[in-house]
Amino acid sequence: MPKKSLNVLFASSEAVPFIKTGGLADVSGSLPPVLRGLGQDVRLILPAYPEALQRIGETREVAQLRLPGHHESVHLLEGRGENDMPVYLVDAPSAFRRKGNPYVGPKGIDWPDNHRRFTLFSRAVAALGLNRAGLDWNPDIVHCNDWQTGLVPALMDHEWQRPATLFTIHNLSYFGLFSHEAFEELHLPTDLWRMEGLEFYGSGSFLKAGLAYADQITTVSPTYAGEIRTATFGYGLEGLLQFRSNRLSGILNGIDYAAWNPATDPHLDHPYDLSTLDNRIHNKRELQREFDLPERDNALLFGYIGRLVEQKGADLILDILPRLQRQGNAQVVFLGSGNPDLEQTLREAQYQFPEMVRCRIGYDEGLSHRIEGGCDAFLMPSRFEPCGLNQLYSLRYGCVPIVHTTGGLADSVVDVTAATLKNGSATGFSFLHANPDGLWYAVHRALECYHNRPDLWLELMTRGMQSDFSWERSAGQYLRLYHKALHGEPGP
Ligand code: ADP
Ligand code: GLC
């Protein structure tokens, strides 16, 4: 018997195409429409940032909410997304209509009232979740994502009739931490402040609230779901995650195959697919020109795209540049922004290695596509990586990934070894230890292969391009988990 179609409220602090700072936006923008395609009534809810209001186009006000602790009424606007999906924007001008980033002010420092802003957002999500916004739509499931929505399961926990909740961890290292004084400002139920609730060593954590109260917890790869139960990756939350083990599972992210398709990508001057791979070299030359690098067809062109933070390990790449220079015949391009010191070191590397290194500091969607479509190999030496999307984009674009064996990188890239060559599964190069020697071990093998085994390199490109990381498979897993959450069954 086919299972009943579910009403799902998908709550996120960012989603493509409305607002993006990282992979959370890619996931929140692409998973809900796929679930709708599977017959579920999924609706997205986001804060009404100026950029989101501008990008969504036409909206209508569907409700006004009075929420505890907030002096003005909050307007709930409804617009439409992909697959005709209703998208709700929580419009609280004093909290969300600010220029710049959803989380940080112009100087790159967290907005000081983030605890109030995301409590407000979570209260609005809970009001919709409990069908108290006057929409006459009763969600079966509220799917929350990361600390910004961590309070939602806690806010609904005591309700007699409430939807089931699923909380997805995209990155355990962002705790949404705040002080006890801040907690008092929020007028939350006082019993949330305890060790089994959101209290964390004298502070409060929105992330922990999600982990403690959600009916089901997921994270974005099976390997990361195991890693976060250990002290190395659990940051003190491993005990809670072990305790909740029978509700915790890992579902690998998919990618949007329409937006990331080298055959139709509007950002590429020379689109290509498996039958027209020869076009790719033109993208490489264009990219070398764009970065003002010597146009060398036979240099192995490495790419890096990502936030410049400790997690991503860009510093490890900087560390191996002298070795790469000595080895010869390689070039590296970086695209990213973040830590000012790292940005500066990258800029300086261009002068130190003028024929080999270029960086672009900033955020550039088009350039990120051109790097995937023009580089030969993609460097992702992340110290930890819950899932990672760029290695998936790289596979899709025939840009051979070089990754640290962790989290979603371990679940998506198959290292070149004697065994994987024999069974025909290798798609890239990986290394076990997140240090310069570890990275060099993989880079060195990639150089050898690129320069001496073009047949094998082509095999890696081809296999990557043929592998399937579309959302369909993972969306089915979420659906099964929604039903488990609804029936109070343990997962996964
Ligand atoms: P995270 O969410 O931890 O930053 P992911 O690999 O999951 O890492 O996703 C990052 C997303 O953000 C990818 O879509 C990537 O292409 C994009 N991205 C990161 N930095 C930049 C940048 N400087 N310019 C363009 N896109 C970027
Ligand atoms: C986080 C993680 C990244 C993941 C993304 C989307 O930002 O750092 O690994 O791919 O969320 O789930």
Side-chain angles (χ1 to χ4, degrees), residues 245-296:
S245 256
N246 69 347
R247 304 282 170 154
L248 167 63
S249 51
I251 302 179
L252 194 69
N253 285 334
I255 57 173
D256 182 341
Y257 269 19
W260 292 90
N261 180 355
T264 55
D265 193 327
H267 301 291
L268 298 184
D269 282 338
H270 305 278
Y272 60 94
D273 60 19
L274 272 174
S275 64
T276 54
L277 259 186
D278 288 349
N279 278 351
R280 214 175 176 282
I281 188 73
H282 301 295
N283 292 323
K284 176 171 174 177
R285 291 178 190 147
E286 301 262 358
L287 196 65
Q288 286 168 326
R289 273 200 289 278
E290 183 169 356
F291 273 101
D292 196 22
L293 277 169
E295 264 179 65
R296 286 202 211 120

Side-chain angles (χ1 to χ4, degrees), residues 23-24 27 170-171 220 253 307 311-312 385-389:
L24 171 60
V27 173
H170 294 264
N171 195 330
V220 287
N253 285 334
R307 295 179 294 119
Q311 172 191 348
K312 300 290 176 183
E385 195 61 78
C387 177
L389 297 173

Side-chain angles (χ1 to χ4, degrees), residues 304-380:
Y304 170 95
I305 305 165
R307 295 179 294 119
L308 296 172
V309 293
E310 164 93 6
Q311 172 191 348
K312 300 290 176 183
D315 54 305
L316 302 179
I317 306 175
L318 284 164
D319 235 285
I320 64 160
L321 290 178
R323 288 187 240 186
L324 203 55
Q325 166 105 318
R326 282 197 295 279
Q327 181 90 13
N329 231 356
Q331 297 173 330
V332 194
V333 295
F334 292 89
L335 167 64
S337 64
N339 179 318
D341 291 340
L342 203 48
E343 289 181 355
Q344 188 51 27
T345 319
L346 275 177
R347 286 194 193 96
E348 284 161 15
Q350 304 182 97
Y351 299 103
Q352 219 180 329
F353 306 98
E355 301 254 302
M356 190 177 84
V357 176
R358 288 290 183 282
C359 70
R360 203 52 65 74
I361 303 299
Y363 187 90
D364 188 333
E365 189 76 30
L367 183 55
S368 75
H369 286 244
R370 292 194 292 282
I371 289 176
E372 296 290 6
C375 284
D376 299 298
F378 193 84
L379 294 168
M380 213 155 161

Side-chain angles (χ1 to χ4, degrees), residues 227-244:
E227 287 173 340
I228 55 179
R229 283 174 246 209
T230 67
T232 315
F233 296 94
Y235 312 113
L237 288 170
E238 61 275 11
L240 174 60
L241 290 165
Q242 284 160 20
F243 176 69
R244 301 225 59 203

Side-chain angles (χ1 to χ4, degrees), residues 18-93:
F18 309 110
I19 177 89
K20 167 166 168 176
T21 72
L24 171 60
D26 297 65
V27 173
S28 305
S30 53
L31 172 60
V34 173
L35 287 166
R36 276 181 79 79
L38 296 177
Q40 317 302 310
D41 185 357
V42 185
R43 305 181 183 191
L44 179 65
I45 182 164
L46 294 167
Y49 313 110
E51 204 172 325
L53 282 164
Q54 188 206 326
R55 290 192 175 188
I56 200 167
E58 212 172 294
T59 57
R60 67 189 176 100
E61 181 171 309
V62 289
Q64 276 196 29
L65 308 171
R66 299 290 314 180
L67 299 171
H70 195 67
H71 59 279
E72 55 191 7
S73 51
V74 172
H75 302 262
L76 192 68
L77 310 177
E78 183 184 323
R80 294 278 147 171
E82 199 185 321
N83 239 346
D84 205 31
M85 174 170 62
V87 178
Y88 299 111
L89 296 184
V90 177
D91 191 18

Side-chain angles (χ1 to χ4, degrees), residues 2 51 66 106 197 226 240-241 265 269 300 319 322 371 377 394 404 423 428 444 448 456 463 486 489:
E51 204 172 325
R66 299 290 314 180
L240 174 60
L241 290 165
D265 193 327
D269 282 338
L300 200 176
D319 235 285
I371 289 176
S394 300
H404 174 216
N423 68 21
H444 179 76
E448 286 287 318
L456 175 54
R463 196 169 299 118
L486 202 56
E489 292 167 22

